[in-house]
Every structure is written in C-alpha cells, then in structure tokens.
Amino acid sequence: MIIYFSATGNSFWVARELSMRLSLPYFSIQEAKKIATYEMKADETCILVMPIHAWGPALPMLRFIEDLEMDFFAGHPLYAVCTCGDDCGWAHRVLRKALHQKGAELRATFSIQMPNTYILLPGFNVDTPSIERAKLEAAPTRVRRITEMIRKGGNDMHTLYHPGTFASLKTNFLYSLFRRHISGKTSFQATDACNSCGLCVRICPTRNIRMKPKNLPTWGKACVQCLACIHRCPRRAIECGHITQKKGRYVNPYIYKSRT
Ligand SMILES: Cc1cc2nc3c(=O)[nH]c(=O)nc-3n(C[C@H](O)[C@H](O)[C@H](O)COP(=O)(O)O)c2cc1C
C-alpha cells in the first residue's frame, strides 16, 4: 500500500508512478476510511510519499503517523519517498523516529527532486520554466531507480537520498522552528479575482479554510503552509500579504491524468 500527502501534485504523481510500477494501491492520507479498511497482504510493501517542508516531512504526514494505531505497519517492509525542490535535510531521521514510536522500522528513505513550490520568503520562487522542465524530465528515471531498489528489498539509500549541505542544522533548527512557530500562522487573503468557487476549502488538508464572511475564503489557525490553496487556485486569487504577488504558481502538469 502507498500512502501519500501532496499539496501541488508532485508527491501524488510519484505515488501514482510507484503504484503502477509496483502494483500497489495508493491512498491519500485524507482517505482515512479506505486506509483503515484496506486488507494488506502478508509482506505487502508499504510506502509513504510526501513533500519536504522546511527540511522535514510535511506536517500532515507527520501527524498522520502520530495518529496511527500502534504496530499498523508491523511485518511489512516500510519505505518513505520524499519529493523536494532541492534537498531534504535529515527528514529521514524525523520519519524514522516518528515511525519507530509507532512500532514500525523504516527500511529506507528516498528522495526525488521536483519543481519547487516554496514562495513565502524573499528569494524563494517557483523554478524557471527550463529548470521545471529539466526536473520533470529527470523524475521518471529516479522513480525507476527507487522502484528497483524497493523491489530488491534494498535499504541502500546513500545514492537515492539527497540530504544537501548543513543537513542536520537545517532539520534540527529550521524544521523545529517551522513546526513550533511558523505553521499555524497565515496572512493569506483572497483578492477581488476570487469567484467563491470553494476549491481552496475542499483541498485544504487541515480544513482550515471557511467561506465566510461574504462567501469569501478566510483562514483559521491550523494552516500547515502546504500552499495548496495559493498554487491551485484557478483564478490566482490568493495571496500571502504582498510577498506572493510577483511570485509564480505551480501545479504538477501530469496530475489530471485519470486514476489507474
Ligand atoms: C512550506 C514549504 C516548504 C518547503 N521546504 C522545502 C525544503 O526544505 N527543501 C526542498 O528541497 N524543498 C522544499 N519545498 C518544496 C517542496 O518540497 C517540493 O516542491 C515538493 O515536490 C512539493 O510537493 P507536492 O507538490 O506534492 O506538494 C517546500 C515547499 C513548501 C510549500
């Protein structure tokens, strides 16, 4: 079974590719009922797929793990696959620890560079079209190599996981900061371009958006900063103060292919 979280489609695309190559079903973390009732075969491989946020696993996936029943993955080979714009820091260690506390041992974590989605700080933006194209072209080869490693039951992640420079510092310091102080707060607002379609409400992983007052979206205090609302708004009608006004938007171009 593959369980994924994805804000803008990169991790969803990876989950779907792995599903096709390994003949495993895939479920979003939001499909809690399907996950709870799915009967895993003995020895069925389990893979968690998620984006990297601030050099750690995206918070919705971490919370999903924290809420799991003890020994949920017991007896199953367990892997994690992270998508990132550049590098992952020590996200693998955060995942390993969280899963260990649930009685599960992570065999290996792999990473795949995909187009970047972080746009909230000065100096950060989506990739240029040529970099975005290059990453999307390189991704299938990386998925193939990861698939081969998982098929072999391998745990050699050295060549297929990219921690980047100052990895421990980034995760220990910046991810901790992100978890404790940055997530939760937002200054997102809808602009005049909003037509109240409600897509942002439906896709928010923490149900943090309400259509009120005046049938316009407003954000509560449970934001995990995945940026699904900003990037996926069909009218580009969501901004975070002034900082995102001149930034690009990104949605994985392959995610609208029907579920297989
Ligand atoms: C809040 C936030 C933080 C991010 N932090 C990192 C990071 O630390 N390192 C990195 O390489 N990419 C980072 N990214 C980029 C995403 O990991 C990357 O674009 C990912 O593929 C998005 O996956 P998704 O489309 O499945 O949501 C960040 C994106 C967001 C929204």
Side-chain angles (χ1 to χ4, degrees), residues 6-11 51-52 54-55 83-87 115-117 225:
S6 181
T8 43
N10 287 341
S11 309
I52 290 293
W55 297 283
T83 70
C84 59
D86 293 302
D87 50 43
N116 181 48
T117 55
Q225 303 220 345

Side-chain angles (χ1 to χ4, degrees), residues 184-186 208-210 218-223:
K185 301 188 183 99
T186 47
N208 187 44
I209 308 174
R210 300 260 179 280
T218 47
W219 282 259
K221 290 188 176 144
C223 179

Side-chain angles (χ1 to χ4, degrees), residues 171-195:
T171 302
N172 291 337
F173 182 62
L174 296 173
Y175 185 62
S176 303
L177 202 72
F178 178 77
R179 266 173 86 171
R180 292 209 188 101
H181 304 294
I182 296 171
S183 64
K185 301 188 183 99
T186 47
S187 43
F188 294 172
Q189 76 272 352
T191 68
D192 293 345
C194 175
N195 65 351

Side-chain angles (χ1 to χ4, degrees), residues 52-153:
I52 290 293
H53 286 171
W55 297 283
L59 292 179
M61 180 58 85
L62 199 61
R63 290 181 186 160
F64 171 83
I65 295 170
E66 284 162 2
D67 290 345
L68 273 177
E69 273 174 32
M70 198 66 193
D71 294 331
F72 181 83
F73 293 116
H76 296 275
L78 179 61
Y79 294 90
V81 179
C82 302
T83 70
C84 59
D86 293 302
D87 50 43
C88 301
W90 274 6
H92 62 307
R93 292 191 176 211
V94 178
L95 283 166
R96 201 194 301 150
K97 188 173 167 198
L99 286 160
H100 181 76
Q101 282 166 356
K102 290 288 162 176
E105 297 310 322
L106 193 55
R107 213 171 252 196
T109 304
F110 305 114
S111 66
I112 305 182
Q113 258 195 2
M114 296 293 283
N116 181 48
T117 55
Y118 189 70
I119 56 170
L120 295 190
L121 282 174
F124 288 83
N125 202 347
V126 297
D127 293 317
T128 60
S130 61
I131 292 179
E132 181 182 313
R133 208 175 319 116
K135 286 179 175 177
L136 291 171
E137 280 171 11
T141 306
R142 184 81 167 185
V143 174
R144 204 162 36 244
R145 290 181 62 202
I146 291 171
T147 309
E148 282 160 16
M149 184 65 79
I150 292 175
R151 239 187 230 128
K152 280 196 302 203

